[in-house]
Amino acid sequence: ETGVTQTPRHLVMGMTNKKSLKCEQHLGHNAMYWYKQSAKKPLELMFVYSLEERVENNSVPSRFSPECPNSSHLFLHLHTLQPEDSALYLCASSLGTAQETQYFGPGTRLLVL
Amino acid sequence: GENVEQHPSTLSVQEGDSAVIKCTYSDSASNYFPWYKQELGKRPQLIIDIRSNVGEKKDQRIAVTLNKTAKHFSLHITETQPEDSAVYFCAASSGAQKLVFGQGTRLTINP
C-alpha cells in the first residue's frame, strides 16, 4: 500500500488559486500516469510519462500541467481550475510501459470552489 | 481509438452466488485485459489479467474469459463474499502505454 504515495490527500481550492499535486513511487518503475476519476465516469487517462518523457497527453486542458523531474516523482500543477475539475486524481506507476500492471496511489480528492 | 463498454453498471447478488461482469472492446489490436477492484475510499488494485494468447484464466474464486472473435471479456466471481463488494473496472490495451477503462460496475454482496 505504500508503493505509490500521493500528497495532499484532500485539496480545496478557488478558481484563481495555483496548487500542485505530488506523486512518488518507491517501486523502481519507469512509467508514471495521471488519471482523473469523476463520479459515474470511467477512469480518464490524462498523462503518461516513460523514463521522464511525456508519451501521452490525452487532450487535457492547459490548466493542468504535468512535470516529471525523475522516474520516481510526478507532479500535476493546477491553475485557474473550474468547478467541473473537481474529482479524484489518481497517480499510477508501472515497471515498463506496455501491458504492465499499473499500481495506483491513494489519490487526491480535489474540490474546486 | 479504443473504446471499452462495461455492463452492468450495478450488480447485486446474494452471498454465495456467482457474479459476472462483461466488457466489450472495439480495437481488434488490443491484447491485454486487466481487471481492477476499487473498494470504497481506496485505490484501484489489479485482481486478475489476461492476454490474448489464452482464452481463460483462473485464480481461486476469480476467473476471466476472453473471446477475441467477439471482442468481449468477462469477470466471473464464484462463491461471493461480503468483502467482494466494490467497484470493478475492466480495461484494454493494444500494446502502448495506454489502458482504456470501462465505466465500472458497483458490485454489492447481500448477506
Side-chain angles (χ1 to χ4, degrees), chain B residues 26-91:
Chain B
S26 59
D27 187 351
S28 55
S30 288
N31 52 11
Y32 174 62
F33 308 92
W35 285 88
Y36 284 80
K37 175 184 180 182
Q38 187 175 24
E39 296 178 42
L40 189 62
K42 296 196 173 179
R43 70 192 77 192
Q45 290 191 298
L46 180 80
I47 53 170
I48 195 167
D49 58 13
I50 191 167
R51 298 180 192 271
S52 59
N53 56 344
V54 297
E56 184 174 359
K57 185 175 178 181
K58 198 170 181 181
D59 182 4
Q60 300 182 340
R61 297 185 297 107
I62 293 173
V64 57
T65 58
L66 171 65
N67 183 328
K68 285 216 74 179
T69 304
K71 289 191 280 189
H72 67 70
F73 57 111
S74 301
L75 177 72
H76 304 254
I77 306 174
T78 58
E79 299 170 26
T80 52
Q81 300 169 3
E83 54 265 35
D84 295 329
S85 294
V87 178
Y88 291 81
F89 294 95
C90 64

Side-chain angles (χ1 to χ4, degrees), chain A residues 89-109:
Chain A
Y89 288 85
L90 288 160
C91 172
S93 71
S94 64
L95 180 60
T97 50
Q99 305 182 342
E100 301 273 358
T101 301
Q102 292 187 17
Y103 295 83
F104 285 85
T108 294
R109 175 74 59 188

Side-chain angles (χ1 to χ4, degrees), chain A residues 1-57:
Chain A
E1 289 287 343
T2 58
V4 182
T5 58
Q6 287 184 245
T7 55
R9 296 293 308 277
H10 301 273
L11 179 61
V12 180
M13 59 188 288
M15 289 189 283
T16 58
N17 291 157
K18 286 185 181 181
K19 296 284 184 184
S20 294
L21 310 185
K22 179 183 175 182
C23 176
E24 186 172 355
Q25 58 96 0
H26 310 273
L27 301 169
H29 289 170
N30 295 315
M32 295 187 78
Y33 311 77
W34 278 117
Y35 287 90
K36 176 183 178 183
Q37 187 174 33
S38 308
K40 299 183 181 178
K41 279 189 174 182
L43 281 161
E44 299 173 69
L45 179 65
M46 300 175 72
F47 301 104
V48 180
Y49 276 82
S50 174
L51 297 171
E52 299 130 55
E53 265 194 55
R54 192 190 310 179
V55 295
E56 180 91 24
N57 179 345

